[in-house]
Amino acid sequence: MTNTKIKFENVEFTYIPPSGRPVRALERLSLDVAENEFVSIVGPSGCGKSTLLYLLGGFLPLEHGEITVDGRKVSKPGPDRGIVFQHFALFPWKTVRQNVLYGLERKKMDAAQRDELAQKYIDLVKLTGFEDSWPAQLSGGMKQRVAIARTLVTDPDVLLMDEPFGALDAQTRGILQEELLAIWGLTRKTVLFVTHDVHEAVLLSDRVIVMSARPGRIKSTVNIDLPRPRNSEVTRSQNFASYCDEIWGLVREEALVASGIKT
Ligand SMILES: Nc1ncnc2c1ncn2[C@@H]1O[C@H](COP(=O)(O)OP(=O)(O)OP(=O)(O)O)[C@@H](O)[C@H]1O
Ligand SMILES: [Mg+2]
């Protein structure tokens, strides 16, 4: 038996905007993620994927149900959960090194230790030599490497990634996917990864969760029973293509519901 790391139990969430109608984002959502598991979440736009991550991150107050990490209730952000967003979210006035060090600001360690740790993660994401560059001098892929290093440096148990490669070109995306898998192999975090890219979800994951149109619930769970490493032999296999087709079909149905074409 594997250990449950993250548990969502009957989670519901409604946005109440200052004006206009409330938006029911999640409804009766339950999900268990095992320790070290790599789980991707796919679903039509607006189905509540980001909301699910923000709730787990502790950035939104839980309205109903319960979310636990290692059996402890989530109520606010914490160092056990690190998040990487789609749009880099770097400080433009800080260099690469300073951005990565930011994650360590509140840790009790001396400056030399901090620098050493920051360097380790800058090296891990292959940005050696760019320590003193400013974000404006970096490509999109490099910026996202900085964001990943800044999150990993705090050594969170759980890594939450919200379309982290969504804004990158296909080639850079492919490289970062490979590198993320290598890092995951080394650090063995539990990863919850949101993506619109079904190929990416199958490539990376142990399990892919398909969410329904809003209000988001879990529509299906697909175990990706493919060997690792997921090299080209695996990605070119019939099994890989079948998983992609199956998940595409499930997402498509919900996208049609979301767009009002199907009920
Ligand atoms: N601050 C907010 N106020 C009101 N409604 C919101 C707010 N944030 C999100 N929503 C709505 O809640 C629903 C879920 O949003 P969420 O961002 O979680 O979806 P998503 O699945 O991440 O979408 P996407 O794939 O486009 O990123 C959407 O209908 C969205 O419009
Ligand atoms: Mg989103």
Side-chain angles (χ1 to χ4, degrees):
M1 250 318 261
T2 44
N3 291 338
T4 301
K5 185 76 184 175
I6 303 166
K7 200 171 183 69
F8 287 77
E9 250 184 306
N10 275 320
V11 168
E12 313 209 341
F13 189 81
T14 305
Y15 287 100
I16 315 231
S19 61
R21 296 214 329 229
V23 180
R24 189 138 186 79
L26 298 175
E27 199 167 80
R28 293 193 307 279
L29 186 139
S30 298
L31 170 68
D32 282 13
V33 180
E35 185 145 32
N36 307 333
E37 197 179 14
F38 198 123
V39 173
S40 286
I41 299 174
V42 297
S45 184
C47 74
K49 303 180 295 297
S50 296
T51 304
L52 188 150
L53 283 199
Y54 299 158
L55 286 167
L56 175 56
F59 301 112
L60 288 174
L62 192 56
E63 164 195 313
H64 183 86
E66 193 169 276
I67 302 177
T68 56
V69 175
D70 287 329
R72 287 188 301 270
K73 269 194 205 177
V74 167
S75 59
K76 55 181 192 309
D80 56 335
R81 286 151 287 138
I83 189 156
V84 178
F85 300 98
Q86 176 175 7
H87 291 292
F88 321 130
L90 300 180
F91 298 113
W93 60 87
K94 289 180 189 268
T95 63
V96 167
R97 191 195 318 276
Q98 289 164 345
N99 265 286
V100 175
L101 280 169
Y102 175 80
L104 296 174
E105 252 172 25
R106 280 197 237 141
K107 297 242 168 174
K108 286 196 186 79
M109 47 174 82
D110 61 43
Q113 268 179 312
R114 265 177 234 255
D115 285 346
E116 195 181 318
L117 209 53
Q119 191 64 50
K120 176 178 154 190
Y121 284 93
I122 289 170
D123 295 344
L124 185 71
V125 298
K126 306 211 164 112
L127 282 176
T128 318
F130 292 93
E131 293 81 356
D132 299 317
S133 301
W134 304 96
Q137 298 172 309
L138 305 177
S139 68
M142 291 162 91
K143 284 185 205 161
Q144 200 54 299
R145 288 165 197 263
V146 180
I148 292 170
R150 189 180 59 186
T151 300
L152 288 177
V153 76
T154 62
D155 198 23
D157 277 355
V158 174
L159 201 52
L160 311 177
M161 307 186 90
D162 194 0
E163 300 187 50
F165 308 145
L168 305 176
D169 64 272
Q171 206 179 341
T172 308
R173 181 188 292 213
I175 293 168
L176 284 187
Q177 286 165 346
E178 259 178 48
E179 288 177 5
L180 176 64
L181 281 180
I183 291 170
W184 177 67
L186 286 174
T187 58
R188 279 293 162 169
K189 309 275 177 211
T190 305
V191 185
L192 212 50
F193 188 100
V194 168
T195 180
H196 277 281
D197 180 341
V198 168
H199 181 276
E200 177 171 76
V202 175
L203 172 71
L204 299 175
S205 312
D206 297 318
R207 198 149 57 100
V208 177
I209 306 290
V210 182
M211 281 178 68
S212 70
R214 188 171 63 78
R217 280 157 289 120
I218 291 182
K219 178 186 170 77
S220 317
T221 296
V222 181
N223 291 318
I224 308 298
D225 198 4
L226 292 171
R228 295 184 186 270
R230 304 261 164 98
N231 52 25
S232 57
E233 199 182 322
V234 177
T235 57
R236 286 197 204 119
S237 67
Q238 186 52 47
N239 278 349
F240 191 97
S242 304
Y243 280 124
C244 290
D245 284 349
E246 178 185 355
I247 294 165
W248 259 125
L250 293 164
V251 176
R252 191 168 175 282
E253 269 176 32
E254 292 306 312
L256 291 176
V257 173
S259 63
I261 294 172
K262 195 178 151 197
T263 50

